Amino acid sequence: MVRTSVIGCGNMGSALVTGLWKSGNHTVIACDLDSEALAAVADYSTETTEDISRAAEADVVFVAVKPDIVEAVLDELELSADQTLVSIAAGVPTEFVEAYTDADVVRIMPNLAAETRDMAAAATGDLSPAIRELLDDVGEFAEIQEAQMDIATAVNGSGPAFVFYLIDAMTQAGVAGGLDHEEAETLAAQTFKGAAETILRDDRSAEELIDAVCSPNGTTIEGMEVLWDSDADEAVADAVAAAERRSKELAADFDDA
Ligand SMILES: NC(=O)C1=CN([C@@H]2O[C@H](COP(=O)(O)OP(=O)(O)OC[C@H]3O[C@@H](n4cnc5c(N)ncnc54)[C@H](OP(=O)(O)O)[C@@H]3O)[C@@H](O)[C@H]2O)C=CC1
Ligand SMILES: O=C(O)[C@@H]1CCC=N1
């Protein structure tokens, strides 16, 4: 068992606590100042605490507070060279974190699907075998350069929100066509899940897979022609670019720090 802790058990921290716990390979100390946040993860943690020094006893310590709180947490956190600090905050450079700790520092951009162990994470830094195994325990990860963190933040960190939006758009269209909301949401969400599994496991490109769904003279080609004639791809690209831009703005706050 790897002794892990998560400082900050809000939306992202609680997803990490839950996923790590469900993997069965970790003990998890959940740390937050908010007792309601701790109560919400009590069933998925070995211990809940408001005391950061308890969280500092783990081998792998996640700092999962908002970017503007990271410095205050680092000030309090005392770790040694045989520990690993995993920073998940958007825009916070590895170098900034390293200046505050003796621990090895790994920066990752996780996403909310850690909760179901389907996380897509981008990771940068010197990843030990233990950290690689930990990331595998809660999903898939890609190793990237620190300079690529802003675009990864937009694609896989913010990405679930963009996908929820698209699933909801498909659901609303189904409801408008006469399905009830629950049926439509199940069909839309499972379709995203199945399509995602297919593109991950299949050697064919997105274009080839679209072609596989489009039966000659069938239904799909009619819908695809609407999408190809629309600016839907540009809207997605603009959303990613806006999130990337914000990540760079957050990072700029640490330039002189
Ligand atoms: N949400 C997401 O999908 C993703 C978030 N991230 C990153 O994760 C981090 C957290 O984001 P998110 O989960 O959305 O934010 P939340 O506000 O939901 O969670 C942060 C939690 O940290 C708690 N907290 C604040 N100060 C302390 C402290 N000193 N010690 C312990 N806990 C504290 C907060 O309590 P209180 O509310 O009482 O202040 C809150 O429960 C951010 O840096 C973000 O960039 C990365 C990828 C995805
Ligand atoms: O919106 C945010 O700032 C965080 C980082 C990526 C996802 N959520």
Side-chain angles (χ1 to χ4, degrees):
M1 296 287 254
V2 182
R3 296 184 310 156
T4 60
S5 65
V6 178
I7 301 170
C9 296
N11 291 304
M12 191 59 235
S14 65
L16 284 165
V17 167
T18 307
L20 290 167
W21 175 261
K22 283 182 181 167
S23 76
N25 294 332
H26 304 267
T27 59
V28 190
I29 299 174
C31 174
D32 202 294
L33 301 180
D34 176 358
S35 56
E36 280 182 27
L38 291 178
V41 292
D43 287 347
Y44 300 104
S45 45
T46 318
E47 178 184 335
T48 62
T49 182
E50 294 180 17
D51 180 0
I52 202 168
S53 65
R54 279 294 294 157
E57 289 172 25
D59 299 319
V60 180
V61 179
F62 283 82
V63 175
V65 294
K66 288 193 176 144
D68 58 349
I69 310 284
V70 167
E71 187 171 12
V73 167
L74 293 176
D75 262 338
E76 261 193 86
L77 192 59
E78 284 183 26
L79 302 178
S80 54
D82 57 355
Q83 292 172 288
T84 302
L85 186 160
V86 183
S87 170
I88 71 163
V92 180
T94 305
E95 216 179 2
F96 177 83
V97 180
E98 279 173 341
Y100 281 83
T101 186
D102 292 331
D104 285 340
V105 176
V106 169
R107 181 179 174 193
I108 70 164
M109 180 43 58
N111 73 22
L112 222 52
E115 181 169 353
T116 54
R117 303 180 62 214
D118 270 322
M119 175 168 83
T124 188
D126 189 11
L127 304 183
S128 66
I131 291 295
R132 288 168 190 277
E133 278 174 36
L134 180 153
L135 292 173
D136 282 339
D137 278 336
V138 283
E140 306 280 338
F141 71 96
E143 242 176 300
I144 63 167
Q145 301 298 312
E146 176 112 19
Q148 298 170 307
M149 263 297 170
D150 299 308
I151 183 65
T153 297
V155 170
N156 73 282
S158 304
F162 306 151
V163 174
F164 295 142
Y165 174 88
L166 295 172
I167 291 173
D168 191 51
M170 193 99 101
T171 301
Q172 298 303 337
V175 170
L179 294 171
D180 76 32
H181 188 274
E182 201 181 330
E183 290 166 347
E185 193 173 76
T186 302
L187 291 173
Q190 181 62 34
T191 297
F192 269 73
K193 186 179 171 189
E197 285 291 337
T198 303
I199 205 161
L200 282 170
R201 313 285 165 226
D202 201 298
D203 287 340
R204 287 173 289 179
S205 66
E207 202 179 329
E208 288 169 320
L209 288 166
I210 289 170
D211 205 37
V213 187
C214 291
S215 308
N217 289 324
T219 61
T220 316
I221 191 65
E222 297 289 321
M224 283 310 306
E225 274 167 6
V226 172
L227 283 177
W228 284 322
D229 285 346
S230 76
D231 295 329
D233 56 345
E234 282 176 34
V236 171
D238 287 349
V240 170
E244 180 191 16
R245 190 170 60 244
R246 180 63 188 140
S247 178
K248 287 190 160 113
E249 283 171 9
L250 290 172
D253 290 343
F254 293 87
D255 274 352
D256 301 323

